[in-house]
Amino acid sequence: MVLKLAEKIVIVGGGQAGLQLTDSLRRGGFSGELMLVSEEESLPYHRPPLSKGFLTGDIPQAKLLFRPQEYYAKREIHVLLDHRVSSIDLAGQFLQLSSGDTLEYDALALATGARVRELPLNGADASNVHYLRSLSDTLRIQTQLAEAKRVVVIGGGFIGLEVAASATKMGKEVTCLEGADRLLGRVVSPFISDFYLSAHQSRGMKIVLNAKVDEFSQTNGQVDSVVCADGSQYAADLVVIGIGVIPNQELAESAGIVCDNGIVVDEFARTSATNVVATGDCTNHLNPYAQNRIRLESVQNAIDQSKTAASTLLGTLEPYNAVPWFWSDQFDLKLQIAGLSTGANHEVLRGRVDQDKFSLFYFRDEKLLAVDSVNSPADHMIGRKLLSGNCQLSPQQAADVDFDLKTLLK
Ligand code: FAD
């Protein structure tokens, strides 16, 4: 598939990926018509604080915006908010909007992101049961959180634990129910899971593992407790469900673009359709660090893949080859992940677990695959550099705190 150089580019989705595309396209010299269509009412904003500093009230709403209105005006980026794209006509190169309007394009960028996975239980639609993906979700949670005493969080992944930590910090009685036998099981090793279990417990949160949520008990349309399959019950004034996300691929799929757990793209962010790229949480891409097709849900991926997509739209093919990284703030603990640990066959600890300051280096034999750092930003940054270069770090060097990792970068 070859992309024609475009005069009019339309971006669908005003999240991290959509915003980055506007920036990279204009910086890359695109002077044609540029349009960003978003179904949300707000200008593009940072999602990470929604479960952290913004939820607790430490970060004001004004700080959430990536860019003020003037940014878009100055760069002649036409932003169409509160508009959903309902279909794509690939042959005619136009979009149908739910308002009934149509929008033509020369090239199209799909940055439709992901939406929450819903829990199929009666009562999940009660007004005190919430999911968290958008600013409006957090605003709704905040209103009820102010009054709530007991909070039940369903899901011990990143979003669930961040919300649970934020609510605990705010003085709420918080129970986190996780269906698996450990926290964060999809992404970190059992060692890190165990660390987070005791870290959260020692900071006042109740965590129940192997919890199979079965029912919401309700009074007057409000959930008052969460009932598990073993009969245990957890009283709740407020429930937040964080059980993962699913990619928004239906728009692409119904147009005939190949999708498979996300919109399938190549290393240049090209979809199966001519003149259509896709980027961010909505994509399934071949990641050199996974040596496989994966879908990443991270700020890093949204930014770096959008840079690749912008280059493609501008006529320069630069393969996506960025080291995956991620962070999560829970209480006073900053977890930073560099690389992908899938396929590791041993781990090496560096630092002091008892001081909440350490890193876990994941190796496949002698090859470094990933580094999980807790309150150790220098290890994280070095880990990213080591992973992106051809430097060799041995497991012995990683474990030796007297060995200066920086010497490997020289
Ligand atoms: P999205 O942000 O999902 O944006 C897609 C946009 O497209 C949405 O506004 C959506 O409404 C819109 N859209 C979809 N379909 C249409 C349509 N048909 N028409 C018009 N508009 C449409 N990542 C980290 O790396 N670190 C963190 O600490 C972290 N914390 C997070 C905390 C929370 C609470 C959440 C929700 C996410 C967090 N993430 C974090 C993940 C990170 O925010 C996402 O990976 C990133 O925002 C993905 O950006 P995106 O643009 O691909 O998708």
Side-chain angles (χ1 to χ4, degrees):
M1 190 258 287
V2 179
L3 280 168
K4 277 188 301 173
L5 284 189
E7 281 172 18
K8 176 172 181 180
I9 299 177
V10 177
I11 301 165
V12 184
Q16 183 94 49
L19 181 276
Q20 184 61 48
L21 273 166
T22 65
D23 187 72
S24 298
L25 284 167
R26 282 297 188 232
R27 275 176 199 270
F30 178 66
S31 56
E33 202 178 331
L34 185 54
M35 183 151 216
L36 180 85
V37 188
S38 174
E39 64 187 351
E40 294 197 61
E41 285 173 13
S42 167
L43 283 173
Y45 57 88
H46 295 277
R47 285 189 205 281
L50 298 182
S51 49
K52 313 176 181 82
F54 179 63
L55 182 60
T56 55
D58 294 323
I59 296 178
Q61 190 170 337
K63 286 259 166 76
L64 293 181
L65 290 187
F66 288 116
R67 303 275 196 275
Q69 182 72 56
E70 304 82 73
Y71 161 88
Y72 303 93
K74 209 169 148 193
R75 288 162 186 77
E76 295 189 45
I77 301 162
H78 307 287
V79 183
L80 196 55
L81 297 176
D82 205 9
H83 275 74
R84 182 170 176 77
V85 176
S86 48
S87 66
I88 307 168
D89 186 319
L90 291 174
Q93 300 205 157
F94 68 87
L95 306 175
Q96 186 73 50
L97 304 185
S98 45
S99 59
D101 296 323
T102 54
L103 259 184
E104 295 184 342
Y105 65 83
D106 296 317
L108 178 65
L110 299 173
T112 49
R115 62 182 180 277
V116 295
R117 185 185 300 282
E118 294 184 5
L119 192 62
L121 282 184
N122 281 343
D125 56 352
S127 62
N128 63 336
V129 176
H130 302 269
Y131 295 92
L132 205 178
R133 180 71 190 177
S134 65
L135 173 58
S136 51
D137 293 336
T138 302
L139 292 172
R140 271 195 302 273
I141 294 171
Q142 269 176 336
T143 315
Q144 293 185 6
L145 196 55
E147 302 295 323
K149 283 201 182 92
R150 295 155 311 176
V151 177
V152 173
V153 174
I154 300 175
F158 286 119
I159 304 288
L161 289 178
E162 288 179 357
V163 170
S166 296
T168 307
K169 267 167 56 181
M170 292 166 79
K172 311 298 170 184
E173 211 179 284
V174 181
T175 305
C176 177
L177 304 175
E178 165 55 47
D181 59 359
R182 64 186 180 98
L183 299 174
L184 301 169
R186 218 161 45 92
V187 258
V188 300
S189 69
F191 183 90
I192 301 281
S193 296
D194 290 348
F195 170 79
Y196 271 90
L197 177 65
S198 53
H200 281 287
Q201 286 170 333
S202 68
R203 285 163 177 78
M205 193 197 297
K206 179 169 180 182
I207 294 183
V208 183
L209 300 175
N210 300 303
K212 309 288 180 238
V213 174
D214 205 27
E215 195 186 324
F216 289 120
S217 141
Q218 297 182 64
T219 309
N220 300 329
Q222 294 265 305
V223 167
D224 51 32
S225 75
V226 179
V227 186
C228 289
D230 63 1
S232 54
Q233 290 207 20
Y234 302 92
D237 304 312
L238 173 71
V239 177
V240 180
I241 304 173
I243 54 169
V245 295
I246 47 179
N248 289 325
Q249 65 184 43
E250 293 77 3
L251 179 67
E253 207 164 24
S254 57
I257 294 173
V258 176
C259 294
D260 177 12
N261 179 31
I263 304 170
V264 171
V265 292
D266 67 8
E267 65 270 48
F268 307 112
R270 297 178 299 191
T271 69
S272 61
T274 309
N275 283 1
V276 183
V277 296
T279 168
D281 279 18
C282 65
T283 67
N284 175 329
H285 68 278
L286 189 63
N287 189 292
Y289 291 86
Q291 295 191 334
N292 217 332
R293 285 205 155 269
I294 53 168
R295 206 167 55 70
L296 288 174
E297 296 153 13
S298 68
V299 165
Q300 170 278 319
N301 179 58
I303 292 175
D304 290 325
Q305 201 176 31
S306 295
K307 290 179 181 171
T308 298
S311 293
T312 299
L313 291 170
L314 294 168
T316 310
L317 293 181
E318 285 171 7
Y320 178 46
N321 189 21
V323 176
W325 58 265
F326 186 83
W327 82 96
S328 174
D329 296 323
Q330 299 165 36
F331 293 110
D332 53 333
L333 305 169
K334 179 176 275 298
L335 173 67
Q336 291 170 293
I337 299 178
L340 299 169
S341 57
T342 317
N345 53 18
H346 65 123
E347 297 147 22
V348 172
L349 178 66
R350 181 182 178 90
R352 295 284 300 268
V353 180
D354 58 338
Q355 293 177 1
D356 297 340
K357 195 172 164 48
F358 65 94
S359 295
L360 200 64
F361 288 72
Y362 297 77
F363 288 87
R364 184 171 52 234
D365 304 325
E366 292 292 304
K367 185 176 164 49
L368 179 67
L369 295 185
V371 186
D372 291 350
S373 303
V374 174
N375 292 340
S376 304
D379 287 357
H380 172 71
M381 292 312 294
I382 290 170
R384 273 162 59 176
K385 287 190 181 142
L386 290 173
L387 288 163
S388 66
N390 292 320
C391 307
Q392 276 294 327
L393 167 75
S394 71
Q396 294 72 22
Q397 288 168 329
D400 178 3
V401 282
D402 293 326
F403 175 75
D404 185 357
L405 299 177
K406 285 201 284 298
T407 57
L408 295 170
L409 304 176
K410 289 186 181 137

